Amino acid sequence: MRTSRISQESAKLFNALSSTGRRSSSRLRANSSALTSDIGQSGDLVVSATIKNEILDDEPTAASTITASTAGDIEDIVLPSSSKKRKRGAETPATSVTASPAPKRTSRRAAVKVEETTITPLRQKKARKQPAKKVKKEDGEVEIHAPPNWQELYNTCLEMRKNIVAPVDTMGCETLAQENISPRASSTTADKRFQTLIALMLSSQTKDTTNAIAMRNLQTGLPAPGGLCLENILEVAPERLNELIYSVGFHNNKTRYIKATALILRDQYDGDIPDTVEGLMGLPGVGPKMAYLCLSAAWGKTEGIGVDVHVHRITNLWGWHKTRTPEETREMLQSWLPRQHWHEINKMLVGLGQAVCLPVGRRCGDCELGLRGLCPSASMPVVKRVKKELAVEY
């Protein structure tokens, strides 16, 4: 019958396709031709077979697994499913739906980023020490010439001190005397000068903060009226006086000096303090520094420079001279420094030594003299690193 002949031809076609099931490195697309046959006139049977075969890289075709049966019709041929998984990248049937995973929700969070910034201080070339020079005149006298850069250095330091508040500015000996402390109007100024002298006598080898506490103890601990005055110092017992000034250095010696000075002032100066440097230096425990400072603060007379450890140390660091003692420093400064600066230089350099140019651990990075290259002893860091934390969102 015609039907059997068509089935045989279809089987031959499938056998031919299965024999070519070899591996290929290229994608081939083969379409089998449609077979159409008519059977009979009234009971014509139309058989149409369309086989679409796609050969992927290194993958056997599905048609190569088909086994044809000559006994059955083409409608009875079943294509077996492949046991191997489809390679990634292969085309998926149109009927299959792949659900893509939902994108993960990222939350905005803050992170801390640390940035390092390198800062190079603005400074000039380090200055050289240019001390005062001794020049011998034709007549044989020796004249002292001031350091070449002293005025620029002095003025810069003076401007810088206007922005620095040091203990000497608020608790220095000139600020510790009380106003209107005596019940007798005629003795008010004398008592104030006396307190300035006592403050200077206590300040030796003592910090300004400690000295201010001791002075406050004397002003409030001695009997009223008067408080710290010559009469009360004469009447107070040495043990009680020593107890009131116990916090200062060498308080035992200073107790004896104060009691002895009170007797001298009563007997020789009519209850007031001397108005000359020689008279002040004649008092027990009073040296040149105290005498010049007391004369300037109490009497308003500037006859010399009060040189303490700060003035002595800093002027040597500046290279103005090379001296061994404060007294040598005073003599060198007075030989060339204009007299108008004799009073203010002490307070200026004492405050600088207390706040910036410390005896140990000088803060040269905070000093304008070092930044401008005026101080020959400045120790400046070449590079200063600053870390900044920045908040970054991502």
Side-chain angles (χ1 to χ4, degrees), residues 243-304:
E243 181 182 349
L244 293 173
I245 65 171
Y246 184 81
S247 58
V248 302
F250 304 100
H251 54 89
N252 293 325
N253 293 337
K254 291 176 182 178
T255 299
R256 293 196 300 269
Y257 295 157
I258 291 174
K259 292 292 289 184
T261 297
L263 293 174
I264 295 174
L265 297 181
R266 183 194 63 184
D267 298 338
Q268 300 181 16
Y269 295 97
D270 195 21
D272 207 340
I273 66 173
D275 58 354
T276 61
V277 173
E278 294 76 15
L280 290 170
M281 291 180 61
L283 301 176
V286 178
K289 179 199 79 171
M290 295 182 193
Y292 287 112
L293 290 177
C294 185
L295 192 66
S296 178
W299 292 103
K301 299 179 180 180
T302 302
E303 296 185 3

Side-chain angles (χ1 to χ4, degrees), residues 299-362:
W299 292 103
K301 299 179 180 180
T302 302
E303 296 185 3
I305 301 174
V307 177
D308 66 347
V309 291
H310 293 292
V311 179
H312 170 67
R313 176 176 57 85
I314 293 175
T315 52
N316 274 275
L317 288 175
W318 287 351
W320 283 359
H321 41 248
K322 190 175 181 181
T323 54
R324 295 174 295 177
T325 63
E327 185 60 20
E328 290 182 7
T329 299
R330 181 186 66 82
E331 293 176 356
M332 285 296 298
L333 287 175
Q334 289 181 181
S335 65
W336 61 265
L337 185 68
R339 198 180 187 92
Q340 61 189 17
H341 301 304
W342 285 11
H343 175 71
E344 67 182 3
I345 189 174
N346 178 271
K347 190 174 182 178
M348 180 185 75
L349 294 186
V350 169
L352 183 68
Q354 291 176 340
V356 179
C357 193
L358 306 176
V360 179
R362 301 196 305 269

Side-chain angles (χ1 to χ4, degrees), residues 3 9 28 35 75 109 126 170 186 222 228 287 301 313 322:
T3 305
E9 289 179 358
L28 301 177
L35 301 178
E75 292 88 353
R109 57 179 180 175
K126 193 172 183 179
T170 57
S186 58
L222 292 175
L228 179 56
K301 299 179 180 180
R313 176 176 57 85
K322 190 175 181 181

